């Protein structure tokens, strides 16, 4: 199975800050990586797929990069609705696996 | 508009069974693989299982050890998860989820609201 390791596990930030989250796969997954945002008590929401493609309707402050084993999600200017937990997920092979999550908290 | 509506969750004793359902609408159901993803209390996301659009291929997470069975009825636009020999560690919110593209594996572009499963004596 492919293990996904996210870092940091939590980050404290303020509105307007630039936030970067990383995700590392235990083996090469090309660009088969997705990022999700999950607000408390809600289902996850797809932000980015294929490592860097923005899902329709997702604000342009979100961007993704990387390929192979190392990936990054960047929020260029944090908004109030972005205080949430973020997950990466590999879509290269079954079983699908998620990273452990990164909680973005208010500083 | 894509909608995924789960049902069938509830409380059950260890060793018991539950069958979850997910009614889908707003897209051509048979064209897409469908997954179940769960989230234990205070925990991260755990992928459970997927079934191909035609229902002929299934895959499961390693932790399930043959206790869960995923299936679908394309005539009813409904996804199922039969859960047997339930354990306390199966306690979670279970989400029905749609693959983004018509081949699997794939990212998940739509999620249901989730249904709570609690396994406790």
């Amino acid at each position: 199975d492919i293990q996904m390791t996210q870092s940091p596990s939590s980050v404290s930030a303020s509105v307007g800050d630039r936030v970067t989250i990383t995700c590392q796969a235990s083996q090469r997954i090309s660009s088969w990586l997705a990022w999700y945002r999950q607000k408390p008590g809600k289902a996850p929401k797809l932000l980015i797929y294929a490592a860097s493609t923005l899902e329709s309707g997702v604000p342009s402050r979100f961007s993704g990069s990387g390929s192979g084993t190392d990936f990054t999600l960047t929020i260029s200017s944090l908004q109030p609705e972005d205080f949430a937990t973020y997950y990466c997920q590999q879509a290269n092979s079954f079983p699908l696996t998620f990273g452990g999550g990164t909680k973005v908290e208010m500083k | 508009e894509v909608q995924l509506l789960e049902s069938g969750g509830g409380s059950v004793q260890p060793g018991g069974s539950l069958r979850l359902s997910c009614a889908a609408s707003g897209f051509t159901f048979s064209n897409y693989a469908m997954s179940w993803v769960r989230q234990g209390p205070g925990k991260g996301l755990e992928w459970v299982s997927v079934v191909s659009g035609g229902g002929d291929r299934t895959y499961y997470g390693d932790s399930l050890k043959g206790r869960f069975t995923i299936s679908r009825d394309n005539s009813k636009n409904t996804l199922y998860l039969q859960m047997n020999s339930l354990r306390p560690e199966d306690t979670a919110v279970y989400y029905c989820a749609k693959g983004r593209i018509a081949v699997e594996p794939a990212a998940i572009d739509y999620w249901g609201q989730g249904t709570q499963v609690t396994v406790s004596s």
Side-chain angles (χ1 to χ4, degrees), chain A residues 1 32 34 36 38 41-46 49 55 87 89 91-100, chain B residues 35 37 39 43-47 50 59-62 95 100-101 104-109 111-113:
Chain A
D1 298 359
W32 298 111
Y36 304 87
Q38 186 179 33
K42 300 294 186 181
K45 173 184 170 59
L46 178 64
Y49 62 91
E55 172 71 344
Y87 295 93
Q89 175 233 322
N92 180 77
S93 61
F94 292 122
L96 301 181
T97 44
F98 292 89
Chain B
S35 285
V37 178
Q39 187 168 34
K43 296 187 177 180
L45 300 169
E46 179 186 10
W47 178 78
V50 68
Y59 302 88
Y60 296 91
D62 294 341
Y95 293 102
R100 193 188 67 81
I101 55 178
E104 69 272 7
I108 293 169
D109 61 353
W111 303 67
Q113 85 289 349

Side-chain angles (χ1 to χ4, degrees), chain B residues 71-107:
Chain B
S71 62
R72 64 192 297 161
D73 185 337
N74 286 343
S75 69
K76 296 182 179 179
N77 287 357
T78 302
L79 174 72
Y80 303 101
L81 184 68
Q82 177 67 43
M83 304 186 295
N84 298 329
S85 303
L86 283 162
R87 305 167 179 170
E89 55 264 36
D90 295 317
T91 294
V93 174
Y94 284 73
Y95 293 102
C96 167
K98 171 188 169 291
R100 193 188 67 81
I101 55 178
V103 294
E104 69 272 7

Side-chain angles (χ1 to χ4, degrees), chain A residues 49-87:
Chain A
Y49 62 91
S52 60
T53 304
L54 206 62
E55 172 71 344
S56 177
V58 173
S60 59
R61 65 180 180 272
F62 292 96
S63 64
S65 64
S67 66
T69 61
D70 296 301
F71 302 87
T72 300
L73 172 71
T74 300
I75 310 171
S76 60
S77 178
L78 199 68
Q79 297 302 299
E81 60 268 31
D82 299 332
F83 292 101
T85 300
Y86 293 80
Y87 295 93

